[in-house]
Amino acid sequence: MTRSIHKLSPLKVPKLEGPKRHSDGGGLYLNVTGAGTRSWIFMWAVNGKRREMGLGSYPAISLADARSRADDCRKLVEHGFDPISERDRQLEKTFGECAEEYIAAHKSSWKNEKHQGQWGNTLTTYCARMWKLPVSKVNDQQVLACLRPIWASKNETASRLRGRIERVLDYAKSNGWRDGENPARWRGNLQHILPKRQKLARGHMAALHFNALPEFFERLQAANSMSARALEFLILTASRSGEVREAKWSEFDLEKKIWTVPAARMKAQKEHSVPLSEQAAALIGKLKANQVSEFVFPGQKIDAPMSDMTLTGLLRRWKVTTVVDGRERTVTAHGFRSTFRDWCGNETDYPRELAEEALAHQIGNAVERAYRRQAAIEKRRKLMQDWANYCVSCRN
């Protein structure tokens, strides 16, 4: 570019009329429209073809700023680079930025903060090697480099990680930041490279066999701690950990012996009524006499619920284990729901649907569920009482 530069001046720029492009030299032009709006343009030629790129509007971008930007563009052209491609490359999102945007956009639809944390933790932990990589450059090999180290040893985590990477890359494609096939897609892609993951035992959680429950329950009742009371109540009601740990006194009708868990804390987002056995009602009654918080099972801070690791920690300290697929594993709090379900199926004549209702599983259509909820509450009460009697049968 041999033509002279700096033809314009700060005083001249606001007075130029249009519609016309006024040259400052060196490929920099001030474009003035008929309406008087002004913007900067850089123009150059590649193989005889003219190219142009906007540098911003005037006066937001001053003459000095426009010259500085044009100078950067000239240097790129001199070294064989395309200024537009380089600008787009610098503006391109990284995989990490896309992941953070996806989480921010979807977290309001996720049920709890723990789920949000799991999303962020798995991606930052296992995708560190491609976190700062332009999202358009993520390919099969980069995805595999994240998955392979944990595919066999942490199969469930790896499977969830793959799904989360796939969603982030789909999000990037929808926003125009990448194109082509999704390298994290399983069907027709990674399924031909990675071995099929093994399914976990029913319920995905290690469960205590119902034959061993009464003896364990006797030990649990003898323990003098809030975590033991919470686990005792969880077993008696066959409830999920979060439902129990975050239970509030306002949810209990001790006269009718009913615990109503609000929809917000239920997996299916449907309110669930739990008929309390004599043992469960007695346990709650004793805790009520010493109430110190709105939470039935407060944590270390009385104004907060018990931590999600409290029940897990108790089972680990007590070394309560079972064998799953030939390996010894620590029993989980959630696994006691499987213990209850297996007891119902093997030791009682209660209908399968009644046991599923007790576990708050969705059975049938909405009309059938509404009818069964009303008709089966007392039937479920009898089931839960028989279950409680079985739990304490070792002591009896």
Side-chain angles (χ1 to χ4, degrees):
M1 297 180 181
T2 59
R3 70 178 66 180
S4 62
I5 61 174
H6 297 179
K7 298 178 181 179
L8 304 178
S9 70
L11 292 177
K12 188 176 181 180
V13 166
K15 298 177 181 178
L16 294 172
E17 297 180 352
K20 186 178 179 181
R21 288 179 173 177
H22 302 272
S23 174
D24 185 54
L28 177 62
Y29 290 82
L30 178 70
N31 183 55
V32 183
T33 67
T37 59
R38 291 163 165 75
S39 61
W40 300 104
I41 297 173
F42 177 72
M43 300 176 63
W44 74 103
V46 178
N47 297 326
K49 293 184 179 180
R50 190 178 71 182
R51 299 268 285 158
E52 61 182 67
M53 180 177 79
L55 300 180
S57 61
Y58 176 87
I61 302 300
S62 68
L63 174 59
D65 289 337
R67 285 171 174 171
S68 176
R69 295 186 180 191
D71 186 50
D72 291 338
C73 290
R74 281 193 295 272
K75 290 177 182 177
L76 289 171
V77 172
E78 289 170 4
H79 288 85
F81 294 101
D82 183 286
I84 294 177
S85 298
E86 289 301 303
R87 178 199 61 188
D88 292 344
R89 184 185 64 78
Q90 292 174 7
L91 294 175
E92 184 180 353
K93 298 281 186 180
T94 64
F95 175 81
E97 289 171 336
C98 291
E100 290 169 350
E101 283 194 16
Y102 180 89
I103 292 171
H106 291 81
K107 65 181 182 181
S108 62
S109 65
W110 295 336
K111 295 178 182 178
N112 53 53
E113 293 183 2
K114 180 180 178 181
H115 187 59
Q116 297 175 25
Q118 288 173 337
W119 255 85
N121 289 338
T122 52
L123 289 172
T124 55
T125 299
Y126 300 111
C127 297
R129 68 188 67 208
M130 65 181 191
W131 195 254
K132 295 183 178 180
L133 189 71
V135 71
S136 66
K137 305 299 182 184
V138 175
N139 58 31
D140 295 54
Q141 294 308 309
Q142 274 118 19
V143 172
L144 287 169
C146 297
L147 297 176
R148 274 180 169 146
I150 61 170
W151 191 257
S153 60
K154 299 179 180 180
N155 196 241
E156 185 68 17
T157 299
S159 178
R160 290 175 181 172
L161 175 64
R162 184 208 61 76
R164 289 165 184 171
I165 295 173
E166 182 179 18
R167 288 178 177 85
V168 170
L169 295 180
D170 278 343
Y171 174 79
K173 184 176 180 179
S174 297
N175 281 281
W177 300 324
R178 63 175 288 120
D179 52 25
E181 295 293 332
N182 191 320
R185 184 167 49 87
W186 177 255
R187 183 169 296 180
N189 184 36
L190 294 183
Q191 72 174 122
H192 301 306
I193 303 173
L194 295 170
K196 186 177 180 181
R197 73 184 186 94
Q198 294 181 353
K199 292 186 178 180
L200 297 179
R202 189 170 76 85
H204 299 277
M205 301 289 179
L208 191 67
H209 193 281
F210 59 82
N211 285 341
L213 180 67
E215 184 177 353
F216 169 75
F217 200 80
E218 182 180 36
R219 180 186 179 188
L220 190 62
Q221 288 187 306
N224 184 24
S225 69
M226 185 60 74
S227 58
R229 298 291 75 77
L231 186 56
E232 181 183 349
F233 185 71
L234 177 147
I235 294 172
L236 288 172
T237 56
S239 299
R240 297 180 179 89
S241 173
E243 297 160 12
V244 170
R245 290 183 296 98
E246 299 178 21
K248 295 182 178 180
W249 288 111
S250 57
E251 299 164 6
F252 287 84
D253 185 332
L254 294 180
E255 184 176 340
K256 295 181 179 179
K257 297 179 182 176
I258 290 286
W259 172 34
T260 304
V261 187
R265 281 214 322 282
M266 294 300 299
K267 183 177 181 180
Q269 298 292 289
K270 301 289 184 182
E271 183 182 275
H272 181 56
S273 295
V274 182
L276 301 178
S277 63
E278 295 295 333
Q279 291 87 341
L283 185 157
I284 294 298
K286 290 179 181 178
L287 293 176
K288 180 67 174 176
N290 299 292
Q291 178 182 347
V292 295
S293 168
E294 65 172 326
F295 295 101
V296 179
F297 304 102
Q300 292 182 339
K301 295 181 180 179
I302 61 173
D303 59 346
M306 184 176 289
S307 163
D308 62 343
M309 288 302 294
T310 302
L311 303 184
T312 300
L314 183 149
L315 292 165
R316 285 177 179 172
R317 289 193 304 274
W318 286 13
K319 297 181 180 179
V320 185
T321 62
T322 188
V323 176
V324 178
D325 296 331
R327 292 193 308 164
E328 187 175 48
R329 293 175 55 189
T330 300
V331 166
T332 65
H334 193 85
F336 286 105
R337 287 167 57 83
S338 291
T339 305
F340 167 77
R341 186 65 186 85
D342 290 341
W343 172 81
C344 288
N346 289 276
E347 299 293 311
T348 78
D349 294 324
Y350 285 108
R352 167 185 168 275
E353 290 78 11
L354 195 65
E356 295 298 322
E357 279 285 342
L359 292 168
H361 288 165
Q362 298 293 301
I363 300 294
N365 59 39
V367 175
E368 291 172 331
R369 289 197 297 270
Y371 173 78
R372 190 156 42 236
R373 232 179 350 258
Q374 296 300 320
I377 189 74
E378 291 308 314
K379 292 181 180 179
R380 283 198 286 122
R381 185 184 298 280
K382 185 176 185 305
L383 167 61
M384 301 315 292
Q385 186 59 58
D386 284 348
W387 167 242
N389 291 342
Y390 175 75
C391 290
V392 300
S393 60
C394 189
R395 173 168 292 186
N396 293 341

